[in-house]
Amino acid sequence: MYINIVYRHLFLLLCLSCVLCQRSPLQVEKDTAVYQLLSRYHSHAQLKELLTQWSGNYSKIAQLFSIGESNTGKELFVMRLTSPLNSKDDEEHDEVQLLRPKFKWIANMHGDETVGREMMIGLIYYLLLNSKSDPRVNRLLSTTDIYIMPTMNPDGFEKSTEGSCNTFGLFGRGNLLDVDLNRDFPSQYQPLKRKPDGTIGDLFYGRQRETVAVMKWILKENFVLSANLHGGALVASYPYDETMEHRFNTYGESPDDSLFRFLALAYASKHLTMPKGQACGENFP
């Protein structure tokens, strides 16, 4: 696991914000509170406790719900943040709310990729703490419908070992059944799965509980933008990461291939460790 990366990034951001933005003592105190929150990993029980507490303390802008359960029955929590939340008694307000773009964050799809999980916990806390005092945060919450899922794979997270860099065992990468959830979604290049009787199943047939829950959630909401946070190995993937060419082990160029190659090389060549092509035992030339 890579919690030390979170430490360094948050500490640098905190120092930079204090120097460049001249944060007030109260703001520095809030930044420090977020930093201290991420001083350790949070179990699923601790995550539930935090999210429940926050949704109660900030009920006007925070709504906690679950889109389903993992194979061990752990709830797949989502925190919705927007200001203010829908009021069932105010039809005009509901219409305005419908015009707000919906944005979705998902982290910890691979159970042993843990930085995103903790960062999303910190992001929720940061937005709540600064919802009234920070104009930028206030503007975000009043113009955007933000949905944050800190973990899509709570079972994998519980199986992984803190501090482990086990590339070949990959303990916790998959879910309870060792299925890679990142590769469990439908693909335009793969046919739908067949049932034992030979008939073709629907879009959800044969997929993991966590995958089905996220698929149904996505189909229910009109998200205009999303982000899925992974972490661990240092590698830059260009679009298209899945093409017909890839199926035959050849490189599939995107329309802006030269630009993506330039950007990736420009970033990687200035990075301290990416040019070495090795991270956690893996090799990315």
Side-chain angles (χ1 to χ4, degrees):
M1 295 184 177
Y2 302 91
I3 194 67
N4 60 320
I5 297 176
V6 179
Y7 291 165
R8 293 197 296 270
H9 287 175
L10 284 177
F11 181 72
L12 289 172
L13 286 173
L14 177 60
C15 293
L16 192 62
S17 64
C18 291
V19 173
L20 299 181
C21 303
Q22 297 183 337
R23 312 284 269 183
S24 67
L26 178 60
Q27 189 59 59
V28 172
E29 182 180 339
K30 292 179 180 179
D31 292 343
T32 303
V34 175
Y35 173 73
Q36 291 176 341
L37 174 72
L38 301 183
S39 63
R40 59 183 173 84
Y41 285 106
H42 296 83
S43 68
H44 194 73
Q46 292 168 335
L47 172 64
K48 179 179 181 180
E49 182 180 358
L50 282 175
L51 297 180
T52 301
Q53 177 184 336
W54 292 341
S55 64
N57 293 344
Y58 296 90
S59 58
K60 292 184 178 181
I61 61 173
Q63 175 191 13
L64 178 64
F65 61 93
S66 171
I67 64 167
E69 295 182 346
S70 69
N71 280 287
T72 61
K74 293 182 177 64
E75 293 182 274
L76 304 177
F77 289 114
V78 174
M79 183 71 93
R80 179 190 178 199
L81 301 170
T82 192
S83 175
L85 287 168
N86 279 353
S87 172
K88 294 182 179 180
D89 300 326
D90 189 345
E91 294 184 1
E92 183 178 352
H93 177 263
D94 287 348
E95 291 178 1
V96 172
Q97 196 76 335
L98 286 172
L99 297 176
R100 291 187 181 180
K102 295 177 181 288
F103 183 85
K104 161 173 65 71
W105 292 88
I106 294 181
N108 203 204
M109 178 180 283
H110 288 136
D112 63 348
E113 296 181 8
T114 54
V115 173
R117 173 191 174 106
E118 296 301 321
M119 294 297 285
M120 290 301 95
I121 295 174
L123 177 60
I124 293 172
Y125 193 38
Y126 182 87
L127 292 174
L128 292 174
L129 284 179
N130 294 281
S131 57
K132 292 183 178 180
S133 58
D134 190 310
R136 183 165 183 257
V137 172
N138 183 272
R139 185 171 67 254
L140 280 172
L141 293 175
S142 62
T143 59
T144 315
D145 211 350
I146 303 172
Y147 296 76
I148 300 177
M149 176 188 285
T151 176
M152 180 186 164
N153 189 0
D155 294 346
F157 174 82
E158 299 289 346
K159 287 170 58 180
S160 59
T161 303
E162 184 172 351
S164 173
C165 185
N166 192 328
T167 302
F168 302 103
L170 297 177
F171 299 121
R173 179 179 175 85
N175 67 352
L176 182 71
L177 304 178
D178 285 329
V179 175
D180 186 337
L181 299 180
N182 190 43
R183 291 159 178 81
D184 191 46
F185 287 86
S187 166
Q188 59 180 323
Y189 301 109
Q190 295 176 353
L192 294 177
K193 299 181 180 181
R194 289 185 177 273
K195 297 180 180 180
D197 61 5
T199 59
I200 298 177
D202 61 19
L203 200 62
F204 309 106
Y205 178 75
R207 305 191 190 282
Q208 298 300 298
R209 295 181 66 177
E210 299 92 342
T211 312
V212 172
V214 171
M215 287 172 62
K216 290 185 176 180
W217 178 41
I218 292 172
L219 291 171
K220 178 183 176 182
E221 300 288 352
N222 294 318
F223 294 112
V224 300
L225 196 63
S226 301
N228 194 294
L229 279 72
H230 291 257
L234 296 170
V235 56
S237 296
Y238 329 126
Y240 301 121
D241 200 12
E242 183 185 50
T243 63
M244 184 63 72
E245 287 81 2
H246 277 83
R247 297 185 63 192
F248 299 101
N249 296 319
T250 57
Y251 182 69
E253 294 185 0
S254 70
D256 297 308
D257 184 73
S258 59
L259 174 61
F260 286 114
R261 281 175 169 269
F262 170 79
L263 292 173
L265 181 61
Y267 178 83
S269 61
K270 301 298 187 294
H271 196 281
L272 291 177
T273 55
M274 282 189 77
K276 299 177 182 179
Q278 296 181 351
C280 201
E282 294 181 287
N283 182 34
F284 290 97

